[in-house]
Amino acid sequence: MDGQVLAETELQKRVDLKIFRVTLRLTPIGATDDGWLDKHPDGEYLEWDFNTLEEAEEFQIKLNWKMGIEK
């Protein structure tokens, strides 16, 4: 992908605090590549579930690093 998108992650506590979910939201912006927009006109939303808070936090940190998100 040559263009840019807005990337955000979130850590949610779900299901009576027994499941932890990390979400990745990719939102198109003015600099988003046309090819990406053709495939994802409404952006992209992905989620991963974990059994422990520690696993979810570690995954979110690595995902943020991979996506170039500073938190």
Side-chain angles (χ1 to χ4, degrees):
M1 180 174 71
D2 294 327
Q4 297 178 1
V5 296
L6 175 63
E8 303 171 280
T9 63
E10 181 181 7
L11 174 59
Q12 303 169 339
K13 296 175 184 172
R14 311 281 295 197
V15 189
D16 297 327
L17 303 179
K18 293 181 183 175
I19 295 176
F20 300 89
R21 178 169 290 163
V22 175
T23 61
L24 171 63
R25 192 172 301 108
L26 301 173
T27 307
I29 58 174
T32 301
D33 178 75
D34 288 338
W36 194 87
L37 278 172
D38 289 343
K39 293 179 184 176
H40 312 278
D42 298 322
E44 187 70 31
Y45 183 85
L46 305 162
E47 52 189 32
W48 297 266
D49 290 337
F50 299 90
N51 293 321
T52 68
L53 178 59
E54 292 79 18
E55 289 175 315
E57 288 176 331
E58 183 177 332
F59 180 82
Q60 184 183 26
I61 290 167
K62 289 178 181 178
L63 183 61
N64 286 341
W65 181 83
K66 181 178 179 180
M67 298 300 298
I69 300 171
E70 294 183 28
K71 283 206 173 201

